[in-house]
């Protein structure tokens, strides 16, 4: 049967906002460098909650179409042309198998990145890695979203390899390499996994501690454990996704 039941109202709200803004950006209504309307203005325009608007902006930011500038607002930087061969992580998906495959690919790259960072990082790069751990902890304490900080932590490690190709890889795949970014988008802002910010913070600390101790083997193992644990988290969703839903769930 046709209808909106499959998507569900929660999914359609943030998608409706992001799709509308994306279409305007791609049509040139907003040019690169233009500032998007303020959050209150978008709430008034679309009639949706602050959470829905923030999820929509996060989706545009993950696609590389906009960037947030602290104290200034959200600015257009796209549309970005992505080589089809680089669309590994950029598409929205509600398939747990896709997320698990992406995490497996990241293991092959980021485990070695952690080892190289432990062997090659400069004092300034080590300070940046620690700063990102501290920033993540601060966001948890404030009850703020942590997905952006998660991405920046991994970018700091890629930079500390002093091999520009690691950083380029993460820049190409973008913030949607963080699974909860794309998964929460297609779930309409709902994350079925219990809060896992504290466990992730502890995993980040273990990786950072190994890098700062200049222990490549321990850094590789800590990164591997972090990503494998992520795979286990998403595998645990399989039963949740396969559970029978009532007619009201669509």
């Amino acid at each position: 049967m046709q209808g909106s039941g499959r998507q569900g109202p929660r999914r359609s709200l943030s998608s409706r906002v992001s799709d509308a803004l994306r279409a305007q950006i791609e049509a040139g209504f907003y040019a690169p460098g233009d500032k998007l309307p303020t959050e209150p203005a978008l709430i008034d325009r679309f009639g949706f909650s602050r959470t829905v608007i923030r999820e929509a902006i996060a989706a545009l930011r993950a696609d590389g179409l906009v960037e947030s500038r602290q104290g200034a607002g959200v600015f257009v930087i796209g549309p970005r042309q992505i080589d089809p061969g680089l669309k590994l992580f950029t598409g929205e998906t509600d398939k747990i198998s896709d997320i698990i495959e992406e995490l497996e690919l990241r293991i092959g790259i980021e485990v070695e990145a952690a080892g190289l960072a432990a062997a090659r990082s400069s004092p300034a790069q080590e300070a940046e890695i620690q700063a990102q751990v501290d920033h993540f902890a601060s966001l948890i304490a404030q009850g703020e979203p942590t997905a952006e900080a998660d991405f920046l932590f991994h970018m700091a490690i890629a930079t500390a390899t002093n091999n520009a190709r690691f950083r380029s890889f993460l820049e190409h795949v973008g913030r949607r390499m963080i699974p909860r970014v794309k998964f929460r988008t297609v779930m309409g802002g709902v994350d079925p996994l219990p809060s896992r910010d504290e466990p992730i913070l502890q995993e980040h600390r273990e990786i950072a501690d190994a890098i700062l101790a200049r222990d490549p083997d321990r850094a590789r193992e800590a990164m591997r454990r972090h990503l494998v644990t992520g795979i286990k988290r998403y595998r645990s969703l399989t039963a949740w996704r396969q559970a029978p839903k009532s007619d009201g769930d669509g």
Side-chain angles (χ1 to χ4, degrees):
M1 293 182 63
Q2 293 182 345
S4 60
R6 187 183 186 286
Q7 291 186 342
R10 292 176 305 184
R11 169 173 167 34
S12 65
L13 296 183
S14 60
S15 295
R16 197 180 308 169
V17 176
S18 61
D19 288 349
L21 293 173
R22 183 181 290 106
Q24 289 186 318
I25 291 170
E26 292 176 347
F29 184 83
Y30 294 113
D34 286 352
K35 181 179 178 180
L36 288 186
T38 63
E39 190 175 276
L42 291 173
I43 291 172
D44 289 342
R45 172 179 167 186
F46 290 98
F48 298 143
S49 70
R50 177 182 178 186
T51 299
V52 169
I53 298 300
R54 288 191 169 183
E55 287 287 339
I57 295 299
L60 296 177
R61 191 164 53 239
D63 285 340
L65 295 174
V66 301
E67 65 177 1
S68 298
R69 300 176 189 169
Q70 190 170 6
V74 178
F75 292 82
V76 174
I77 58 174
R80 180 179 65 172
Q81 299 299 316
I82 302 176
D83 188 308
L86 297 174
K87 293 183 179 180
L88 296 171
F89 296 78
T90 53
E92 292 184 356
T93 182
D94 60 0
K95 291 177 64 178
I96 297 169
S97 60
D98 287 347
I99 290 174
I100 290 172
E101 288 173 358
E102 292 166 2
L103 284 165
E104 289 175 343
L105 177 58
R106 287 178 59 193
I107 287 173
I109 294 169
E110 292 194 71
V111 167
E112 184 58 23
L116 290 174
R120 300 175 176 175
S121 57
S122 69
Q125 290 166 342
E126 291 171 4
E128 178 62 19
I129 291 170
Q130 185 60 56
Q132 292 304 331
V133 173
D134 294 342
H135 180 50
F136 196 105
S138 175
L139 291 174
I140 293 176
Q142 297 170 37
E144 295 291 332
T146 59
E148 179 83 0
D150 197 341
F151 175 75
L152 292 175
F153 171 75
H154 287 271
M155 283 292 291
I157 292 173
T159 301
T161 66
N162 287 295
N163 177 337
R165 295 181 187 273
F166 281 95
R167 181 178 178 88
S168 294
F169 173 80
L170 297 195
E171 286 176 336
H172 278 308
V173 298
R175 284 153 179 78
R176 292 201 181 201
M177 64 175 272
I178 306 300
R180 63 187 182 275
V181 172
K182 64 164 63 176
F183 196 74
R184 196 161 51 211
T185 298
V186 299
M187 294 299 293
V190 176
D191 191 341
L193 280 172
S195 176
R196 57 213 182 278
D197 281 341
E198 288 289 354
I200 290 174
L201 173 60
Q202 182 57 36
E203 292 160 20
H204 283 191
R205 281 175 171 155
E206 291 171 0
I207 297 166
D209 286 349
I211 292 173
L212 271 58
R214 307 198 72 78
D215 188 334
D217 290 340
R218 182 154 66 97
R220 290 186 182 97
E221 180 54 33
M223 180 64 81
R224 181 183 299 279
R225 188 164 53 248
H226 173 50
L227 295 174
V228 168
T229 300
I231 289 173
K232 291 178 180 177
R233 289 187 185 108
Y234 281 91
R235 279 184 176 151
S236 73
L237 278 177
T238 303
W240 182 87
R241 294 284 288 167
Q242 292 177 345
K245 294 180 173 61
S246 67
D247 291 341
D249 290 333

